């Protein structure tokens, strides 16, 4: 009798383990062992690649939040454009706005708070719902992202001569930097000649500017062409970028902030997809699950 009970117990445990394994979520992680792997990632994407603006968001999952990053990777490969800000005690955290009111349970400015004070707050999602998630340190985000996803740091109030050395000290080979002109690109390149950048390139004059300051195109795997949709009048720019291994990105973010429902966003985003970009930056990555090239 005892042996029978033990056998039944072992069978039950096995069933539970098997069930757990079957329910394990497979995420779209990408292992990046060196900066050149960022180029490989961009070039290997056959479909339109989605970049999560502010790290993306969804109901119950706020922007600039590690838990949100990991959740979105359940559904699609992506990269995350994120926003570094400095606290009063010189800790770099993720926060898009200068103020805390919109995205947290706090008030005031990030720069007027210590990191410990920020940890008493909770993040809110786009619809104002309070979550259990906290404001993350950039160092923790980089550590979490290793062998998972590519990060693209936008420019906020953390200077490049502070951010780039921090990323290098943490071996953040999966990290990129947004630059808005050739001069900013030159600053990053001088701090780290292996750094990868997402560069604003609005026309052929600016394209030539990057070449003039000596930035190798391999350091710029992606260019934001500063439009909502691809513009046929700039086809020469897109051809020049792609000929140098640079993927062309457009951004829907400014318009998406004003659209309330998923259906409204999808009608607008259909136009963006049909214009033929290589990368689309969006606040709502999951809107794009159904769309492939």
């Amino acid at each position: 009798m005892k042996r029978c009970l033990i056998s039944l117990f072992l069978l039950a445990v096995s069933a539970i383990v098997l069930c757990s394994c079957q329910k394990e979520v497979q995420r779209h992680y990408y292992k990046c062992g060196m900066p050149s792997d960022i180029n490989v990632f961009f070039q290997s994407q056959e479909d339109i690649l989605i970049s999560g603006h502010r790290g993306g968001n969804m109901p119950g999952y706020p922007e600039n939040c590690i838990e949100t990053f990991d959740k979105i990777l359940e559904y699609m490969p992506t990269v995350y454009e994120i926003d570094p800000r400095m606290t009063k005690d010189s800790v770099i955290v993720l926060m898009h706005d200068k103020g805390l009111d919109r995205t947290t349970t706090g008030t005031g400015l990030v720069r007027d708070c210590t990191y410990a004070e920020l940890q008493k707050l909770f993040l809110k999602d786009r619809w104002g719902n309070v979550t259990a998630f906290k404001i993350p340190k950039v160092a923790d985000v980089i550590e979490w992202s290793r062998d998972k996803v590519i990060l693209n740091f936008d420019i906020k109030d953390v200077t490049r001569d502070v951010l780039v050395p921090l990323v290098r000290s943490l071996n953040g080979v999966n990290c990129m930097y947004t630059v808005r002109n050739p001069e900013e690109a030159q600053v990053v390149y001088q701090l780290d000649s292996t750094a990868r950048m997402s560069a604003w390139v609005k026309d052929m004059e600016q394209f030539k500017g990057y070449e003039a300051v000596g930035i190798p195109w391999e350091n710029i795997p992606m260019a934001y062409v500063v439009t909502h949709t691809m513009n046929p009048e700039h086809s020469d720019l897109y051809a020049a970028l792609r000929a140098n291994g640079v993927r062309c990105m457009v951004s829907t973010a400014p318009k998406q902030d004003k659209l309330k429902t998923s259906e409204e966003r999808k009608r607008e985003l259909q136009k963006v997809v049909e214009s033929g970009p290589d990368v689309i930056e969006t606040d709502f990555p999951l809107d794009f699950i159904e769309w492939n090239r």
Side-chain angles (χ1 to χ4, degrees):
M1 181 68 178
K2 185 179 290 185
R3 287 182 179 178
C4 182
L5 290 174
I6 292 173
S7 297
L8 287 173
F9 173 75
L10 292 175
L11 283 172
V13 170
S14 298
I16 292 170
V17 171
L18 179 60
C19 183
S20 299
C21 291
Q22 289 174 340
K23 292 182 179 180
E24 184 179 352
V25 175
Q26 298 298 315
R27 291 176 172 81
H28 295 269
Y29 288 158
Y30 177 69
K31 187 172 183 177
C32 188
M34 60 185 67
S36 60
D37 288 338
I38 295 177
N39 303 70
V40 173
F41 176 79
F42 278 98
Q43 290 299 321
S44 65
Q45 299 303 309
E46 296 180 1
D47 298 330
I48 294 174
L49 177 64
I50 301 305
S51 170
H53 183 239
R54 307 178 190 177
N57 73 92
M58 55 193 296
Y61 288 87
E63 64 188 50
N64 282 308
C65 171
I66 290 176
E67 290 81 2
T68 304
F69 304 160
D70 207 43
K71 186 67 176 178
I72 292 172
L73 289 172
E74 291 182 15
Y75 300 95
M76 61 172 63
T78 187
V79 299
Y80 292 124
E81 184 262 12
I82 55 179
D83 306 285
R85 288 197 179 275
M86 188 78 76
T87 68
K88 184 178 181 179
D89 53 344
S90 300
V91 177
I92 305 175
V93 298
L94 288 192
M95 182 66 57
H96 179 272
D97 300 357
K98 294 179 180 179
L100 296 164
D101 303 61
R102 181 178 66 86
T103 59
T104 80
T105 52
T107 59
L109 301 177
V110 176
R111 68 184 183 191
D112 292 337
C113 300
T114 64
Y115 176 71
E117 290 169 338
L118 293 182
Q119 287 306 287
K120 297 175 183 178
L121 309 177
F122 293 94
L123 289 169
K124 296 188 292 188
D125 70 11
R126 177 63 62 92
W127 299 268
N129 302 305
V130 177
T131 72
F133 307 135
K134 300 282 191 172
I135 299 170
K137 286 182 185 179
V138 160
D140 291 341
V141 174
I142 293 173
E143 185 60 36
W144 167 83
S145 72
R146 201 178 315 282
D147 293 336
K148 292 185 177 72
V149 72
I150 293 167
L151 304 176
N152 176 23
F153 287 102
D154 198 5
I155 300 171
K156 295 305 176 190
D157 63 359
V158 182
T159 58
R160 296 306 191 192
D161 62 343
V162 172
L163 182 61
V164 175
L166 172 64
V167 172
R168 291 197 69 182
S169 71
L170 296 170
N171 194 32
V173 293
N174 60 316
C175 297
M176 303 171 59
Y177 307 92
T178 291
V179 293
R180 292 182 169 84
N181 53 58
E183 292 71 32
E184 289 182 5
Q186 192 173 33
V187 169
V188 172
Y189 185 66
Q190 288 173 346
L191 288 166
D192 180 3
S193 63
T194 70
R196 266 46 184 176
M197 293 170 258
S198 170
W200 288 37
V201 190
K202 63 182 178 181
D203 51 34
M204 283 303 297
E205 181 179 355
Q206 196 166 47
F207 175 90
K208 294 173 182 176
Y210 285 97
E211 292 190 321
V213 297
I215 306 296
W217 286 111
E218 66 179 14
N219 289 70
I220 304 177
M222 178 174 71
Y224 173 38
V225 294
V226 204
T227 60
H228 181 64
T229 59
M230 300 288 277
N231 185 343
E233 295 180 4
H234 291 302
S235 58
D236 57 339
L237 171 64
Y238 308 148
L241 288 166
R242 287 165 173 162
N244 283 281
V246 183
R247 308 306 296 273
C248 296
M249 183 183 80
V250 298
S251 179
T252 67
K255 287 193 175 183
Q256 280 185 305
D257 280 344
K258 300 174 184 178
L259 299 176
K260 302 299 182 183
T261 69
S262 176
E263 287 306 311
E264 285 180 313
R265 295 196 301 272
K266 287 182 179 181
R267 284 195 295 271
E268 180 63 32
L269 302 181
Q270 181 71 46
K271 303 174 188 177
V272 181
V273 171
E274 291 175 349
S275 74
D278 303 309
V279 186
I280 298 175
E281 184 178 78
T282 171
D283 289 356
F284 301 93
L286 300 192
D287 283 355
F288 287 88
I289 290 176
E290 65 193 76
W291 279 318
N292 289 329
R293 270 266 171 86

